[in-house]
Amino acid sequence: PLRYILLFLINVYLEEKKILLKQEQEKLDNLKDNLQEKSAQLEQAKQEFEYRKRKLDSRNRVWWGFRHVANFFDDRTEVFNVAQGEFKYSQQKKEEVKMEVDYSQLQVNATEEQIKSFSNALFKFSIGCKNSDGFAVIQGHKYLDIPQSLF
């Protein structure tokens, strides 16, 4: 009968959603690992930036005549600017990965909720079909918002 076909199709849909959920969870795990790597890179860039900043500050405290001669042979401002750029770039990449992780987490949660709600509806629908001898789709109006006929 039709109810068995309908139950089979809903079960197939649920299995596809479960496969999709598994893929999304794997993607989420990969993104979390990537986030940890980006955090480590950010921390390394931050330490390099702070080191270069301390070196530049120590150079800037030196007498101006000696500083200009030392800057002629070893310019620390350029190295400082490069370290600052790398730090900002690492920070931006980490934020991008964090946003991807949050989006993926939302997708996983939404898929879990869909699976749960469809499973509950399927269970109620199948119980309703078992308890009554009527046509399965007509019995589904108890659980779904199907407008009733006026006649």
Side-chain angles (χ1 to χ4, degrees):
L2 186 61
R3 72 175 171 206
Y4 296 121
I5 294 171
L6 186 61
L7 290 174
F8 172 74
L9 291 176
I10 292 174
N11 277 328
V12 168
Y13 176 76
L14 284 175
E15 289 301 317
E16 284 295 317
K17 279 292 189 180
K18 288 178 184 175
I19 291 171
L20 180 67
L21 175 65
K22 186 176 179 181
Q23 291 171 350
E24 288 293 327
Q25 286 175 337
E26 289 173 0
K27 180 182 173 186
L28 180 64
D29 292 339
N30 289 339
L31 285 173
K32 284 184 179 179
D33 292 341
N34 195 3
L35 181 63
Q36 289 176 350
E37 290 173 10
K38 295 292 182 185
S39 295
Q41 289 175 354
L42 177 66
E43 189 62 34
Q44 183 180 5
K46 183 178 180 182
Q47 290 174 356
E48 179 71 20
F49 170 69
E50 289 173 355
Y51 172 74
R52 296 295 178 188
K53 186 176 181 179
R54 282 193 309 267
K55 295 287 265 182
L56 181 66
D57 289 343
S58 67
R59 173 69 58 89
N60 287 338
R61 279 181 283 200
V62 175
W63 179 61
W64 71 271
F66 180 71
R67 180 177 25 185
H68 288 296
V69 172
N71 284 342
F72 181 73
F73 293 106
D74 181 27
D75 188 18
R76 292 191 179 164
T77 56
E78 185 65 32
V79 178
F80 170 76
N81 290 336
V82 168
Q84 186 178 21
E86 288 177 2
F87 174 68
K88 287 181 180 179
Y89 180 75
S90 296
Q91 200 171 22
Q92 181 184 12
K93 285 297 181 184
K94 181 186 174 193
E95 289 300 320
E96 289 175 3
V97 172
K98 187 171 180 354
M99 286 175 48
E100 288 179 20
V101 166
D102 293 341
Y103 178 72
S104 184
Q105 183 68 44
L106 286 174
Q107 282 185 327
V108 166
N109 291 341
T111 306
E112 286 175 346
E113 288 298 319
Q114 282 180 339
I115 289 173
K116 189 186 302 180
S117 64
F118 265 98
S119 295
N120 290 340
L122 179 65
F123 178 73
K124 289 178 182 179
F125 187 68
S126 61
I127 294 296
C129 291
K130 257 186 180 178
N131 291 339
S132 173
D133 296 328
F135 190 61
V137 174
I138 295 174
Q139 294 171 17
H141 79 278
K142 298 176 195 172
Y143 310 108
L144 305 172
D145 287 332
I146 300 173
Q148 299 297 318
S149 173
L150 296 175
F151 301 108

